[in-house]
Amino acid sequence: MTAPVKSSPLALTVLALLHYKPLHPYGIQQLIKQWGKEQVVNVGQRAGLYRTIERLHAGGLIAVRQTERDQQYPERTVYEVTDEGRAVAREWLDQMLAVPKGEFPVFPAALSNLPMLTPDEALDVLERRADRLAAQRADLKAQLAVHTGEGVPRVTLIEHEYLLAMVDAEERWVRAVTDDLRSGGLTWSPEMLAAFDEQHNSGAPAGG
Amino acid sequence: MTAPVKSSPLALTVLALLHYKPLHPYGIQQLIKQWGKEQVVNVGQRAGLYRTIERLHAGGLIAVRQTERDQQYPERTVYEVTDEGRAVAREWLDQMLAVPKGEFPVFPAALSNLPMLTPDEALDVLERRADRLAAQRADLKAQLAVHTGEGVPRVTLIEHEYLLAMVDAEERWVRAVTDDLRSGGLTWSPEMLAAFDEQHNSGAPAGG
DNA sequence: TGCACCTAGTCTCAATGCAACTAGTCTCGC
DNA sequence: GCGAGACTAGTTGCATTGAGACTAGGTGCA
């Protein structure tokens, strides 16, 4: 009875690709890149990939199919998905799709400390973010256009559509905030914040 | 010459709170919860908080102010931010706000494997997600309303506004996809995907 | 021959997430 | 007064992740 394997984006993708055909680790990495999925699964550092494969292997979700020896290359182990692996992949996929997971991206955390800056400084950094988001958006749009032009079925690009929608939404939001900062509709000052603080904080936690 | 401390949402928030007044670790946790920031910084398991504080201390960004002994409670170490800590907090904040960081949330990774499901199954799980997103959205809206009603300055709720905008955008996107699935505007079948695959994959990577 | 770069895989370290554990205190009912 | 359960406060351990360095052979080219 091996411990259940924890799901992760990379683990799911590995199972899914092996579902499609047996592969060796490097082949998996190549496929991920070839299909443009390196934007949604972190396969940049190979270490993670090899560890994930080990983990799946130890958990019995994948099995060694053969060990190739293509002289000039090191030995390459070809894996295939097991029946259990197929079942688990389905469960993971259902769970990951149906249940939004509470993750902690850095941007909202940083935003929550916006009062540390002056409104002018905030305007400046947020404009820089908006510009970078615009660049990302253009990139994603271009990629989508290329693939759609090649007649790739839409469902295989769905995650790109999602990324585009999210980047677009974030950019809109940031621009709305910068507009408010410029117009003065959103502003603050240390005095204003301190004043509010006193109203509400009679019994403040320990301090010096 | 200590190694530079790596930024993290929690580390930034700790520095920011200490900026405001010296505190002991538990007080920091309380403040984070009191200000509703536990939704953007992961302070749920205290272990992370204590480790972060240690890290900041080792890096010279915070210093021990005093060691309280409130008999009946264990010893509590009160920390304050150093000048270097203030400077570093500023740098982190600028960086985190201005530069969108490539993170790898699970949803897009899962989406990229949507073809593993049938369109009907996809419709089902995505509807479940949309409903959960709707619940989250209602929650966030209610919280915002409460705080706004109390006259809290808008800038201190800005991260909530952001979360709301993102949840809203995601829900809209998911609903648009479920609509397309229902109408048949988005569909696929194993044959269709296999056919496309053959067109493009003459030289496929190793297999069995 | 020397140099840069690519392929393929391994190793290490710090950081994170998650959960269990200790140990004292407070509260409430009985 | 006393035990159950909850809260306060901090510690410990383990598996996973992220990021980078390192090995070691192969290829192109000047």
Side-chain angles (χ1 to χ4, degrees):
Chain A
M1 183 95 202
T2 53
V5 181
K6 235 191 76 182
S7 75
S8 80
L10 186 51
L12 175 66
T13 302
V14 168
L15 282 184
L17 291 181
L18 291 183
H19 197 92
Y20 164 79
K21 74 158 74 162
L23 288 165
H24 51 82
Y26 198 73
I28 293 172
Q29 197 193 11
Q30 295 314 299
L31 261 194
I32 290 174
K33 285 191 178 161
Q34 190 184 317
W35 293 1
K37 301 202 179 186
E38 77 285 16
Q39 284 169 58
V40 289
V41 302
N42 189 2
V43 80
Q45 58 274 27
R46 283 175 305 290
L49 178 61
Y50 288 99
R51 275 188 297 227
T52 298
I53 288 173
E54 247 173 76
R55 205 151 51 83
L56 292 174
H57 189 202
L61 305 188
I62 62 177
V64 173
R65 171 103 184 221
Q66 57 180 294
T67 308
E68 288 184 351
R69 181 77 222 191
D70 205 337
Q71 83 276 40
Q72 111 221 29
Y73 287 131
E75 219 176 47
R76 294 186 298 191
T77 307
V78 175
Y79 294 92
E80 65 186 342
V81 64
T82 63
D83 287 343
E84 207 193 328
R86 277 175 227 274
V88 167
R90 258 314 277 274
E91 279 165 41
W92 285 353
L93 187 54
D94 280 7
Q95 176 74 13
M96 287 165 138
L97 287 173
V99 185
K101 187 174 168 199
E103 287 163 297
F104 295 88
V106 320
F107 182 56
L111 266 183
S112 83
N113 294 296
L114 202 61
M116 282 182 69
L117 302 181
T118 66
D120 277 356
E121 290 166 339
L123 175 58
D124 181 63
V125 288
L126 289 179
E127 267 174 346
R128 285 194 277 144
R129 165 170 282 255
D131 291 344
R132 286 176 206 256
L133 288 172
Q136 273 186 31
R137 181 168 47 79
D139 242 52
L140 281 166
K141 225 168 201 157
Q143 284 177 47
L144 262 178
V146 167
H147 287 118
T148 318
E150 287 170 354
V152 176
R154 183 180 160 203
V155 68
T156 64
L157 297 171
I158 198 85
E159 77 279 9
H160 279 88
E161 286 189 18
Y162 172 81
L163 289 181
L164 180 55
M166 289 303 107
V167 168
D168 193 72
E170 183 175 323
E171 191 195 341
R172 276 173 209 284
W173 184 85
V174 173
R175 299 244 187 244
V177 172
T178 55
D179 286 352
D180 284 357
L181 283 166
R182 235 187 308 266
S183 74
L186 170 61
T187 193
W188 64 91
S189 65
E191 297 78 40
M192 172 180 162
L193 298 172
F196 162 76
D197 201 63
E198 265 168 53
Q199 277 175 48
H200 283 251
N201 263 355
S202 322
Chain B
M1 182 96 199
T2 54
V5 180
K6 234 190 78 183
S7 74
S8 83
L10 187 50
L12 175 65
T13 301
V14 168
L15 282 186
L17 291 181
L18 291 183
H19 197 92
Y20 165 77
K21 73 157 76 162
L23 286 165
H24 51 82
Y26 198 73
I28 293 172
Q29 196 193 12
Q30 294 314 298
L31 261 194
I32 289 174
K33 285 190 178 162
Q34 188 185 315
W35 293 1
K37 301 202 178 184
E38 77 284 16
Q39 284 169 56
V40 290
V41 302
N42 189 2
V43 79
Q45 61 274 23
R46 282 174 304 291
L49 177 61
Y50 288 100
R51 274 188 294 229
T52 298
I53 287 172
E54 247 174 77
R55 204 151 51 81
L56 293 174
H57 189 201
L61 306 188
I62 62 178
V64 173
R65 171 102 185 221
Q66 57 180 294
T67 308
E68 287 185 351
R69 180 79 220 190
D70 204 336
Q71 83 277 40
Q72 112 222 29
Y73 288 131
E75 219 176 44
R76 294 187 298 192
T77 307
V78 175
Y79 293 92
E80 65 186 342
V81 64
T82 64
D83 288 342
E84 206 192 330
R86 276 175 227 274
V88 167
R90 258 312 279 274
E91 279 164 42
W92 284 353
L93 187 53
D94 280 6
Q95 175 73 11
M96 286 165 138
L97 288 172
V99 185
K101 184 175 167 196
E103 286 163 297
F104 295 90
V106 319
F107 183 56
L111 265 183
S112 83
N113 294 296
L114 202 62
M116 282 182 71
L117 303 180
T118 66
D120 278 357
E121 292 168 337
L123 176 58
D124 182 63
V125 289
L126 289 180
E127 267 174 345
R128 285 195 277 143
R129 166 171 281 255
D131 291 345
R132 287 177 207 254
L133 289 171
Q136 274 185 31
R137 181 168 48 79
D139 244 50
L140 282 166
K141 227 170 200 155
Q143 284 176 47
L144 262 178
V146 167
H147 286 118
T148 319
E150 286 170 355
V152 177
R154 184 180 160 203
V155 67
T156 66
L157 296 171
I158 199 84
E159 78 278 10
H160 279 90
E161 284 188 18
Y162 173 80
L163 290 180
L164 180 55
M166 290 303 109
V167 168
D168 194 72
E170 183 175 323
E171 191 195 342
R172 276 172 208 283
W173 184 85
V174 173
R175 299 245 186 244
V177 171
T178 55
D179 285 353
D180 284 357
L181 284 166
R182 234 188 308 268
S183 74
L186 170 62
T187 194
W188 63 91
S189 64
E191 298 77 39
M192 171 179 162
L193 297 172
F196 161 76
D197 202 62
E198 264 167 55
Q199 277 175 47
H200 283 250
N201 263 356
S202 323

